[in-house]
Amino acid sequence: MDPVQVRLMCADDLASAERASALTFLDAERSTRRVSDPEVEPRSAVASKQWIDRMRFFLTVDPGGCWVAVKEDTGAGEVVGFAMSQNRDPLWFLATYGVLPGHQAQGLGKRLMDAALDHADGRPGIFSSSVHAGATRRYRLAGFSLHPQMRMVGTVDRSTLPPVDGLREGRADDFEWMDRLDRNLRGAGHGPDHGYMLGTMRLVVSRDTTKPGYVYLDDRGQAALLAAAQPETAQKLLWEALASSRGETLVNCITTPNEWALDVGLAARLDIGQEGYIAVRGMPVPAPYLASGHFL
Ligand SMILES: CC(C)(COP(=O)(O)OP(=O)(O)OC[C@H]1O[C@@H](n2cnc3c(N)ncnc32)[C@H](O)[C@@H]1OP(=O)(O)O)[C@@H](O)C(=O)NCCC(=O)NCCS
């Protein structure tokens, strides 16, 4: 019998899957780290808990997209690989994907990806890709286009912050128009993901209904997901994010159709870097839009 089974994930796998994820990404980040990058630290207890909470949410909303590779000969069923994907109406996204270093390059990643893509059932797909050679190889072979992403890093020069008006705090009764906006930008609303994000982050929205847009800000004031109908609204929302950042900040997931974000970052005296790819299949790169790594 094959010692590693690829099967649907269940809640009992969460702790073991989290351990596999923490080890896999520590190893991947160490091996792809550039000399100018900070040292890679093991995942904190808080981040481990957040990972488990998020995966439990995905398991509740769309369990058919959540797959694990399990080594059954260890008795407890140790998770050695995982592909967590989700369908949201007509869109599929991959939230996270990994195989423990000692099990890589043996075809497990392909088996997991094939299972997740079967669940996609031909839907357009999107996710944020690492630079890991095994990952990019797997994605391109599955037909995804890899669009390089830029990021802006540094400490905001607060003397550059412009006055920003026309924004307000977002609430659950904003989700309906936010989903309409998302459908125009990426083909599908975030649906239940909005509830999860509002529970864990601050939401800021544009007050002008003819110029809709929103941004989720994480606990460090960084833009975790930004969507807008016009680049001008997107820039306003990004300025709001930069104003609420503390210390070193990061604006992530900037593709070339989103150069409006580079212009804001440069004006705030942040530096342009390059990191990973937005992978899409059957859809264009969304703009004006800064994707969330977890919810796309
Ligand atoms: C991406 C990942 C899940 C793929 O899992 P895997 O079990 O290695 O996948 P497979 O063996 O099915 O396929 C990977 C392909 O890349 C190759 N490959 C794997 N590791 C590689 C490496 N370090 N360098 C170059 N090629 C590599 C394999 O030979 C295989 O190609 P082939 O099928 O043509 O022979 C796994 O490599 C991983 O966890 N990487 C680190 C975490 C990561 O970056 N995850 C993706 C986040 S977006």
Side-chain angles (χ1 to χ4, degrees):
M1 192 183 93
D2 186 344
V4 181
Q5 301 296 313
V6 170
R7 61 158 170 78
L8 282 168
M9 188 189 203
C10 60
D12 287 347
D13 298 317
L14 282 166
S16 181
E18 193 284 321
R19 278 193 296 277
S21 158
L23 286 173
T24 300
F25 285 101
L26 182 64
D27 178 80
E29 282 164 29
R30 283 196 172 143
S31 64
T32 56
R33 171 181 171 269
R34 286 167 289 202
V35 280
S36 55
D37 291 341
E39 275 295 330
V40 183
E41 299 293 337
R43 188 180 284 170
S44 68
V46 171
S48 293
K49 185 182 174 304
Q50 286 168 343
W51 193 95
I52 289 178
D53 287 350
R54 205 163 47 242
M55 297 311 137
R56 195 186 301 281
F57 167 74
F58 288 142
L59 260 183
T60 310
V61 177
D62 188 18
C66 306
W67 291 84
V68 280
V70 182
K71 218 166 121 185
E72 300 289 4
D73 62 2
T74 53
E78 181 200 359
V79 172
V80 296
F82 49 89
M84 302 296 287
S85 75
Q86 297 276 282
N87 291 339
R88 294 287 180 271
D89 305 321
L91 180 72
W92 172 90
F93 68 86
L94 183 66
T96 187
Y97 172 49
V99 168
L100 272 177
H103 291 266
Q104 288 174 11
Q106 297 164 28
L108 264 187
K110 180 167 185 341
R111 288 167 65 193
L112 285 162
M113 192 62 161
D114 286 350
L117 284 172
D118 266 1
H119 180 65
D121 198 21
R123 287 173 172 79
I126 184 167
F127 56 89
S128 184
S129 163
S130 68
V131 296
H132 189 272
T136 47
R137 182 174 177 82
R138 203 63 286 142
Y139 300 150
R140 183 60 200 147
L141 290 174
F144 284 86
S145 295
L146 299 171
H147 296 267
Q149 294 183 130
M150 289 165 280
R151 51 172 16 197
M152 306 229 45
V153 288
T155 302
V156 172
D157 176 348
R158 303 199 74 83
S159 71
T160 66
L161 292 173
V164 176
D165 58 4
L167 303 182
R168 63 165 171 80
E169 297 301 307
R171 301 177 303 251
D173 61 3
D174 290 307
F175 293 167
E176 205 175 309
W177 66 257
M178 287 164 63
D179 269 343
R180 270 200 305 278
L181 174 63
D182 288 338
R183 274 196 288 280
N184 289 335
L185 290 167
R186 69 204 267 279
H190 279 87
D193 303 332
H194 280 307
Y196 187 90
M197 287 188 276
L198 188 60
T200 52
M201 289 185 281
R202 181 180 164 217
L203 173 64
V204 177
V205 303
S206 165
R207 231 172 19 211
D208 184 343
T209 51
T210 66
K211 294 179 179 163
Y214 69 86
V215 63
Y216 283 100
L217 303 174
D218 68 15
D219 54 2
R220 296 163 68 190
Q222 294 178 172
L225 168 64
L226 189 154
Q230 289 96 3
E232 301 71 38
T233 311
Q235 288 191 319
K236 232 186 226 193
L237 291 161
L238 186 54
W239 274 118
E240 175 65 20
L242 296 184
S244 53
S245 70
R246 292 179 299 277
E248 274 273 309
T249 195
L250 169 69
V251 182
N252 226 343
C253 297
I254 309 173
T255 46
T256 42
N258 287 290
E259 283 174 331
W260 57 267
L262 294 183
D263 297 335
V264 170
L266 290 176
R269 306 220 60 90
L270 300 181
D271 301 326
I272 300 177
Q274 201 271 314
E275 186 64 52
Y277 307 86
I278 276 281
V280 288
R281 192 172 84 166
M283 63 183 285
V285 170
Y289 194 77
L290 301 179
S292 145
H294 304 308
F295 297 96
L296 281 305

